[in-house]
Amino acid sequence: MTQVIVVNGGSSSGKSGIVRCLQAVLPDPWLAVGTDTLVEAMPASMRASDGGIGFAPDGEVIVGPEFRTLEAAWIAGIAAMARAGARVIVDEVFLGGAYSQRRWREALGELRVLWVGVRCDAAVAAGREVARGDRTIGMAASQAEMVHQGVTYDLEVDTTHAEAMECARTIAAHVE
Amino acid sequence: MTQVIVVNGGSSSGKSGIVRCLQAVLPDPWLAVGTDTLVEAMPASMRASDGGIGFAPDGEVIVGPEFRTLEAAWIAGIAAMARAGARVIVDEVFLGGAYSQRRWREALGELRVLWVGVRCDAAVAAGREVARGDRTIGMAASQAEMVHQGVTYDLEVDTTHAEAMECARTIAAHVE
Amino acid sequence: MTQVIVVNGGSSSGKSGIVRCLQAVLPDPWLAVGTDTLVEAMPASMRASDGGIGFAPDGEVIVGPEFRTLEAAWIAGIAAMARAGARVIVDEVFLGGAYSQRRWREALGELRVLWVGVRCDAAVAAGREVARGDRTIGMAASQAEMVHQGVTYDLEVDTTHAEAMECARTIAAHVE
Amino acid sequence: MTQVIVVNGGSSSGKSGIVRCLQAVLPDPWLAVGTDTLVEAMPASMRASDGGIGFAPDGEVIVGPEFRTLEAAWIAGIAAMARAGARVIVDEVFLGGAYSQRRWREALGELRVLWVGVRCDAAVAAGREVARGDRTIGMAASQAEMVHQGVTYDLEVDTTHAEAMECARTIAAHVE
């Protein structure tokens, strides 16, 4: 039985929409948590500090050592939720590419994980970033390729031409 | 010179994304207001009362007489903003179809208006409604056709297969 | 009959809470609009541009000429809403003090207006700004006195020790 | 060293404001999670279903068995985050009073916990609920006493007359 679904993709690639559709189409209730949940849980000061997370004017995300420390504990906690019986969807942005995946893989250990990559053409994602109106412009383009560097998946979907619901159904078909 | 752009479409048809892209691609600054702005300006009690606005379990929107009265003054005020020199994009849901358009047309009078219809396949809009996660399920499907009944446009775009940014560029090309 | 209530106060002084309570306690339905509504209606680019609105690192708000132009049309439009029969509460931050009030006074002309000042001790407002968690730190302190410079009121309330609901009832007692 | 701070109080008692102030005044970075985080992580359908969480018209919160199951795993996961080295503030609403506390106490086990009760006069909390404008009316009043039934604390604060920042400083003085 699949216990964790890790969905990785760049900003404005459509991950969160896919995750909400997944929660709607999967027969069991799944918890959905992710990078956004973690950032919101951090002190406000860390969203703009040297030790925390910052957004460069061109949309690049800069993450400091204190962020990495809290994140490690966060990942361990999410893994523990799954071990305690919750089925969990993780909505992630692997800013460190393969390195980010390794951290999750080690924490998730023996749990049965479905690794999903969400692709989106950089120019299309950049347009959606403008349409959303609540993101720092430039993040979509700068992350589109970077987050997939060296990452391996069980399954990839591409939102450039496919709807979130369609991608969710494809993923759901791989959940055991 | 186009003074007002009225963008009409059902819930989850992608209107607001198009409007934000329009504001980004148009060379001059345009104000964007709409049904959501009005609903937020109403007393909280009117969003659930007999005289106000309500949401039936199937997503149907029910609007009462007190809502209509405040809305009439609202429309007059938006028209006055345009007469006072602001270029205004109106992000609307014509729940009353042709009747809704007539009310706006009368208020806008001599102003130069570009009427834009935003279409989206009902099933696709329903999927996007799930993906957004913050709307009453059923609104997208129930409004998809209804809001266009008897309405006439200068221009129609369809978000079923086109991106918001693409639709915005098409509309912008018609702005004088 | 009072047609417009203008509520002026600095960021985190508690204006918006008072306005929502006012809408709840006043027997008739009143529309509530304000600076936040206008900022949201602006193009995203203007919230960070030379011609628009900007937030200095210490929380100071900088407003450019293009913002002032759209704002003038906005004010004219709100006045027109009131003339068209809507009772309107305006939730404002008079960054220009007496000058801001004069602009509104001229636009509102013959309408019957209740001018309300919302005071809050600067240190208390600064604490509430931290508690809210969604505002640029420093705005509360920098605006606390400034927005009242040279402004005249029919009525002043102070949220340092009084609840929003209590202030709303005081104001409602002055509405005719 | 205090590893977890559990802050319990009714809706609109001011817990979340206190938690944000705590994060600002505590010298180390603390993660803040809570009931709201969990509800957001649930499938949308569970927020309105028999097995999930529901809001009665009078503001009463009804929680079903599926919610309880996911919540148990959630609690285990938060405890694991603290064991993995994150200092965690838990922003909770003990709808089950002493029973809710027992669940957390068992999960937190050997961790050093500071239990904090946030009180607020029911009528004052009800007024703030109106002022916030985004909560189901009635929750504040119905939860004000209920959530404290049989719960024991290391420390209690009362927001009826004290500011969030003031309460946060009182709590911070008890953190080791």
Side-chain angles (χ1 to χ4, degrees), chain D residues 40-56:
Chain D
E40 230 175 275
M42 298 264 178
S45 63
M46 282 193 61
R47 292 176 213 149
S49 84
D50 289 353
I53 189 166
F55 299 93

PDB file of all heavy atoms in Angstrom, chain D residues 40-56:
ATOM      1  N   GLU D  40      -6.448  22.459   7.263  1.00  0.00           N
ATOM      2  CA  GLU D  40      -6.059  22.796   5.890  1.00  0.00           C
ATOM      3  C   GLU D  40      -5.422  21.610   5.167  1.00  0.00           C
ATOM      4  O   GLU D  40      -5.489  21.523   3.946  1.00  0.00           O
ATOM      5  CB  GLU D  40      -5.051  23.938   5.931  1.00  0.00           C
ATOM      6  CG  GLU D  40      -5.383  25.075   5.011  1.00  0.00           C
ATOM      7  CD  GLU D  40      -4.400  26.204   5.200  1.00  0.00           C
ATOM      8  OE1 GLU D  40      -4.600  27.031   6.111  1.00  0.00           O
ATOM      9  OE2 GLU D  40      -3.417  26.257   4.450  1.00  0.00           O
ATOM     10  N   ALA D  41      -4.801  20.722   5.923  1.00  0.00           N
ATOM     11  CA  ALA D  41      -4.148  19.552   5.321  1.00  0.00           C
ATOM     12  C   ALA D  41      -5.148  18.455   4.957  1.00  0.00           C
ATOM     13  O   ALA D  41      -4.849  17.563   4.166  1.00  0.00           O
ATOM     14  CB  ALA D  41      -3.105  18.987   6.283  1.00  0.00           C
ATOM     15  N   MET D  42      -6.342  18.525   5.519  1.00  0.00           N
ATOM     16  CA  MET D  42      -7.383  17.518   5.256  1.00  0.00           C
ATOM     17  C   MET D  42      -7.969  17.708   3.852  1.00  0.00           C
ATOM     18  O   MET D  42      -7.967  18.815   3.327  1.00  0.00           O
ATOM     19  CB  MET D  42      -8.531  17.702   6.251  1.00  0.00           C
ATOM     20  CG  MET D  42      -8.144  17.518   7.694  1.00  0.00           C
ATOM     21  SD  MET D  42      -8.530  15.819   8.169  1.00  0.00           S
ATOM     22  CE  MET D  42      -7.932  15.831   9.868  1.00  0.00           C
ATOM     23  N   PRO D  43      -8.530  16.653   3.275  1.00  0.00           N
ATOM     24  CA  PRO D  43      -9.259  16.823   2.022  1.00  0.00           C
ATOM     25  C   PRO D  43     -10.435  17.783   2.229  1.00  0.00           C
ATOM     26  O   PRO D  43     -11.059  17.768   3.299  1.00  0.00           O
ATOM     27  CB  PRO D  43      -9.789  15.420   1.722  1.00  0.00           C
ATOM     28  CG  PRO D  43      -8.960  14.487   2.539  1.00  0.00           C
ATOM     29  CD  PRO D  43      -8.521  15.251   3.741  1.00  0.00           C
ATOM     30  N   ALA D  44     -10.721  18.609   1.232  1.00  0.00           N
ATOM     31  CA  ALA D  44     -11.820  19.571   1.332  1.00  0.00           C
ATOM     32  C   ALA D  44     -13.126  18.881   1.707  1.00  0.00           C
ATOM     33  O   ALA D  44     -13.924  19.419   2.467  1.00  0.00           O
ATOM     34  CB  ALA D  44     -11.971  20.321   0.006  1.00  0.00           C
ATOM     35  N   SER D  45     -13.331  17.682   1.177  1.00  0.00           N
ATOM     36  CA  SER D  45     -14.582  16.972   1.430  1.00  0.00           C
ATOM     37  C   SER D  45     -14.760  16.646   2.913  1.00  0.00           C
ATOM     38  O   SER D  45     -15.869  16.572   3.412  1.00  0.00           O
ATOM     39  CB  SER D  45     -14.617  15.673   0.624  1.00  0.00           C
ATOM     40  OG  SER D  45     -13.559  14.827   1.071  1.00  0.00           O
ATOM     41  N   MET D  46     -13.646  16.460   3.634  1.00  0.00           N
ATOM     42  CA  MET D  46     -13.750  16.117   5.055  1.00  0.00           C
ATOM     43  C   MET D  46     -14.129  17.307   5.924  1.00  0.00           C
ATOM     44  O   MET D  46     -14.481  17.148   7.083  1.00  0.00           O
ATOM     45  CB  MET D  46     -12.442  15.523   5.557  1.00  0.00           C
ATOM     46  CG  MET D  46     -12.296  14.078   5.128  1.00  0.00           C
ATOM     47  SD  MET D  46     -10.956  13.283   6.022  1.00  0.00           S
ATOM     48  CE  MET D  46     -11.508  13.407   7.710  1.00  0.00           C
ATOM     49  N   ARG D  47     -14.033  18.505   5.346  1.00  0.00           N
ATOM     50  CA  ARG D  47     -14.416  19.686   6.128  1.00  0.00           C
ATOM     51  C   ARG D  47     -15.933  19.821   6.172  1.00  0.00           C
ATOM     52  O   ARG D  47     -16.476  20.652   6.863  1.00  0.00           O
ATOM     53  CB  ARG D  47     -13.797  20.951   5.530  1.00  0.00           C
ATOM     54  CG  ARG D  47     -12.289  20.948   5.698  1.00  0.00           C
ATOM     55  CD  ARG D  47     -11.642  22.153   5.035  1.00  0.00           C
ATOM     56  NE  ARG D  47     -10.325  21.777   4.529  1.00  0.00           N
ATOM     57  CZ  ARG D  47      -9.739  22.293   3.471  1.00  0.00           C
ATOM     58  NH1 ARG D  47     -10.339  23.236   2.784  1.00  0.00           N
ATOM     59  NH2 ARG D  47      -8.566  21.882   3.075  1.00  0.00           N
ATOM     60  N   ALA D  48     -16.629  19.000   5.421  1.00  0.00           N
ATOM     61  CA  ALA D  48     -18.084  19.119   5.388  1.00  0.00           C
ATOM     62  C   ALA D  48     -18.778  17.759   5.443  1.00  0.00           C
ATOM     63  O   ALA D  48     -19.966  17.677   5.201  1.00  0.00           O
ATOM     64  CB  ALA D  48     -18.498  19.854   4.120  1.00  0.00           C
ATOM     65  N   SER D  49     -18.034  16.717   5.767  1.00  0.00           N
ATOM     66  CA  SER D  49     -18.625  15.382   5.683  1.00  0.00           C
ATOM     67  C   SER D  49     -18.854  14.756   7.050  1.00  0.00           C
ATOM     68  O   SER D  49     -18.381  15.250   8.064  1.00  0.00           O
ATOM     69  CB  SER D  49     -17.698  14.469   4.878  1.00  0.00           C
ATOM     70  OG  SER D  49     -16.687  13.946   5.713  1.00  0.00           O
ATOM     71  N   ASP D  50     -19.552  13.645   7.066  1.00  0.00           N
ATOM     72  CA  ASP D  50     -19.864  12.916   8.289  1.00  0.00           C
ATOM     73  C   ASP D  50     -18.603  12.419   8.997  1.00  0.00           C
ATOM     74  O   ASP D  50     -18.530  12.412  10.223  1.00  0.00           O
ATOM     75  CB  ASP D  50     -20.735  11.694   7.960  1.00  0.00           C
ATOM     76  CG  ASP D  50     -22.130  12.123   7.563  1.00  0.00           C
ATOM     77  OD1 ASP D  50     -22.414  13.323   7.690  1.00  0.00           O
ATOM     78  OD2 ASP D  50     -22.913  11.272   7.133  1.00  0.00           O
ATOM     79  N   GLY D  51     -17.620  12.020   8.211  1.00  0.00           N
ATOM     80  CA  GLY D  51     -16.421  11.485   8.826  1.00  0.00           C
ATOM     81  C   GLY D  51     -15.412  12.562   9.182  1.00  0.00           C
ATOM     82  O   GLY D  51     -14.410  12.295   9.831  1.00  0.00           O
ATOM     83  N   GLY D  52     -15.667  13.775   8.718  1.00  0.00           N
ATOM     84  CA  GLY D  52     -14.686  14.825   8.894  1.00  0.00           C
ATOM     85  C   GLY D  52     -15.092  15.850   9.934  1.00  0.00           C
ATOM     86  O   GLY D  52     -15.428  15.525  11.056  1.00  0.00           O
ATOM     87  N   ILE D  53     -15.065  17.084   9.512  1.00  0.00           N
ATOM     88  CA  ILE D  53     -15.342  18.184  10.423  1.00  0.00           C
ATOM     89  C   ILE D  53     -16.464  19.028   9.840  1.00  0.00           C
ATOM     90  O   ILE D  53     -16.562  19.192   8.635  1.00  0.00           O
ATOM     91  CB  ILE D  53     -14.044  19.025  10.633  1.00  0.00           C
ATOM     92  CG1 ILE D  53     -14.224  20.047  11.737  1.00  0.00           C
ATOM     93  CG2 ILE D  53     -13.587  19.683   9.346  1.00  0.00           C
ATOM     94  CD1 ILE D  53     -12.899  20.648  12.206  1.00  0.00           C
ATOM     95  N   GLY D  54     -17.344  19.504  10.697  1.00  0.00           N
ATOM     96  CA  GLY D  54     -18.446  20.311  10.210  1.00  0.00           C
ATOM     97  C   GLY D  54     -18.701  21.463  11.156  1.00  0.00           C
ATOM     98  O   GLY D  54     -18.280  21.443  12.305  1.00  0.00           O
ATOM     99  N   PHE D  55     -19.372  22.475  10.651  1.00  0.00           N
ATOM    100  CA  PHE D  55     -19.704  23.619  11.479  1.00  0.00           C
ATOM    101  C   PHE D  55     -21.222  23.748  11.515  1.00  0.00           C
ATOM    102  O   PHE D  55     -21.844  23.993  10.488  1.00  0.00           O
ATOM    103  CB  PHE D  55     -19.079  24.891  10.928  1.00  0.00           C
ATOM    104  CG  PHE D  55     -17.581  24.828  10.885  1.00  0.00           C
ATOM    105  CD1 PHE D  55     -16.918  24.397   9.748  1.00  0.00           C
ATOM    106  CD2 PHE D  55     -16.832  25.150  12.008  1.00  0.00           C
ATOM    107  CE1 PHE D  55     -15.533  24.322   9.717  1.00  0.00           C
ATOM    108  CE2 PHE D  55     -15.448  25.066  11.984  1.00  0.00           C
ATOM    109  CZ  PHE D  55     -14.795  24.645  10.837  1.00  0.00           C
ATOM    110  N   ALA D  56     -21.809  23.537  12.692  1.00  0.00           N
ATOM    111  CA  ALA D  56     -23.244  23.720  12.836  1.00  0.00           C
ATOM    112  C   ALA D  56     -23.552  25.207  12.694  1.00  0.00           C
ATOM    113  O   ALA D  56     -22.662  26.042  12.884  1.00  0.00           O
ATOM    114  CB  ALA D  56     -23.694  23.206  14.194  1.00  0.00           C
TER     115      ALA D  56
END
